Amino acid sequence: MRIILIGFGNLGKGLARIFVDKADFLRKTYGLVPHVVAVADERGAAMDENGLNLSKLLKVAEKKSVAAYEGGKRGKMALEVIEDMEADVVYELTPTNIKNGEPGFTHIKRAMLTGKHVITSNKGPLVVAFGELDSLARKCGVEFRYSASVGGAIPVINLARRLLAGNEIREVCGVLNGTTNYILTRMSTEGVPFEIVLREAQELGIAEKDPTLDIRGIDTACKITILANSILGIDAKLEHVKVTGIDRISSEAIRLAREAGQTIKLVGVARRGSLEVGPRLVPFGHPLAVGGTLNAVKFELDLAREITITGFGAGPQETSSSLLGDLIDIHRTLGG
Ligand code: HSE
């Protein structure tokens, strides 16, 4: 499969590393050989229609733009690469922009219009124009996958849409942001100050490029919007979500909660008629009382009643699990 990667930050690099490490496994198990024919970052692009040497590219990208790879080009190259390179799949992995979804929104549209399947973790285009992108994919006859946009490694969307397909989903709620969960957990268990833990979360590569999106609950609200659209069939926009972040949660509040056998979690809830995000008291031992960078998502269903799924909700390697899963799924569905 010929692949274009747009965006080469933590996630793009993480995925490229997995392609290198799992090359034998992918070929032997699925007959899948991912040829990455182009990679674009903010400053340029590396291209080779026979497939880039990803180990070399990762070395180059440690210090410089991918444009420094042999034969690379400087400048804003993403659209040019999407249009000009022959490829089966475009991974759109640029940072989330909740105002207008750009540049990811245009990248995704251009990929679809040029007949390429799209896999993305980028929440911006999904919250700005879920319906438009979903119908454009259908119109263009391409696959559009975004498993990595909610829950990191946890297959939240696929679980709901495939394995729970016979259920009416009455509510989905959960701890959907690894950064704030990490911060709240460390503040609660070790009393580490907010600013220090935030810096640690950034070093772990789990925080958004603009971490206020995490802290103010916007990232969770994006995920609630995506879940409302993709699994509840609600035409929801980000502004429909009532949001409170964790920026006003004091160490004192966390301590008092702890003494009462409770923990404070940033919880998102989506049900028909109500979409909200805010800090909630959760008793220790409750399925949503997960620690560290873990996420937990609870479905309320008519047949299955209740299902909770837990796992790592952020991090380049963990998120690659979903990004790669989407590729394998497209390969299995369509061949190639
Ligand atoms: N910043 C996000 C988080 C990344 O902390 O959960 C995964 O969406």
Side-chain angles (χ1 to χ4, degrees):
M1 263 186 158
R2 286 157 306 174
I3 294 164
I4 295 174
L5 299 187
I6 304 296
F8 209 55
N10 288 326
L11 285 188
K13 286 179 188 148
L15 182 64
R17 236 169 254 129
I18 304 290
F19 282 151
V20 174
D21 295 346
K22 285 199 177 262
D24 281 350
F25 165 79
L26 292 172
R27 186 174 39 76
K28 284 186 194 143
T29 316
Y30 303 109
L32 171 60
V33 182
H35 278 299
V36 178
V37 293
V39 174
D41 63 18
E42 286 165 327
R43 291 171 290 161
M47 293 148 289
D48 186 340
E49 57 192 21
N50 297 314
L52 296 160
N53 179 328
L54 291 179
S55 303
K56 248 191 210 165
L57 184 74
L58 282 163
K59 269 233 155 69
V60 168
E62 271 171 22
K63 291 197 185 112
K64 297 179 185 158
S65 160
V66 294
Y69 184 91
E70 202 185 320
K73 277 198 191 164
R74 298 207 168 273
K76 295 245 174 255
M77 295 290 297
L79 284 177
E80 204 174 301
V81 157
I82 292 170
E83 269 169 13
D84 295 351
M85 296 297 288
E86 285 217 7
D88 304 295
V89 175
V90 171
Y91 272 101
E92 213 299 326
L93 307 174
T94 62
T96 295
N97 166 352
I98 54 163
K99 292 206 178 83
N100 57 15
E102 297 295 359
F105 186 33
T106 301
H107 294 158
I108 292 175
K109 282 194 290 186
R110 203 63 67 86
M112 289 176 176
L113 288 166
T114 54
K116 298 173 180 83
H117 308 299
V118 174
I119 300 173
T120 190
S121 56
N122 188 344
K123 286 153 272 192
L126 292 167
V127 298
V128 168
F130 185 94
E132 184 181 339
L133 292 174
D134 197 42
S135 26
L136 185 62
R138 270 178 243 259
K139 211 164 106 193
C140 297
V142 296
E143 298 291 318
F144 181 37
R145 304 293 167 96
Y146 39 82
S147 310
S149 64
V150 180
I154 315 172
V156 183
I157 293 173
N158 285 337
L159 173 68
R161 285 173 50 149
R162 297 184 184 190
L163 305 180
L164 300 175
N167 287 264
E168 178 200 332
I169 301 175
R170 295 186 170 146
E171 181 183 288
V172 50
C173 75
V175 174
L176 292 162
N177 181 270
T179 302
T180 47
N181 205 36
Y182 182 76
I183 292 173
L184 291 171
T185 306
R186 296 266 284 139
M187 283 174 78
S188 166
T189 55
E190 289 153 76
V192 186
F194 185 93
E195 292 73 23
I196 293 181
V197 214
L198 172 59
R199 213 171 313 130
E200 281 177 18
Q202 288 175 300
E203 280 159 19
L204 287 171
I206 60 173
E208 295 300 299
K209 196 167 184 188
D210 170 6
T212 57
L213 293 176
D214 297 299
I215 307 305
R216 298 212 175 126
I218 311 292
D219 176 74
T220 304
C222 287
K223 290 164 177 164
I224 285 295
T225 307
I226 296 169
L227 290 176
N229 276 280
S230 62
I231 67 174
L232 298 183
I234 303 171
D235 180 17
K237 293 276 185 301
L238 190 54
E239 56 268 27
H240 300 150
V241 188
K242 200 170 145 231
V243 193
T244 314
I246 64 155
D247 34 344
R248 299 224 177 112
I249 304 286
S250 64
S251 306
E252 180 63 1
I254 292 174
R255 193 182 58 76
L256 288 172
R258 197 175 169 74
E259 280 171 16
Q262 313 242 34
T263 170
I264 299 177
K265 297 288 167 201
L266 183 66
V267 176
V269 184
R271 76 174 83 88
R272 236 154 260 289
S274 158
L275 305 173
E276 24 177 286
V277 173
R280 298 280 181 274
L281 284 169
V282 177
F284 287 117
H286 186 278
L288 295 189
V290 291
T293 61
L294 286 172
N295 281 194
V297 185
K298 183 160 82 68
F299 295 96
E300 276 181 28
L301 308 142
D302 62 341
L303 304 179
R305 294 167 45 152
E306 209 175 281
I307 288 183
T308 306
I309 181 168
T310 304
F312 289 97
Q317 179 197 296
E318 295 83 348
T319 306
S320 287
S321 168
S322 293
L323 291 170
L324 184 56
D326 281 346
L327 184 74
I328 294 169
D329 197 42
I330 292 177
H331 172 72
R332 276 170 161 169
T333 315
L334 307 170

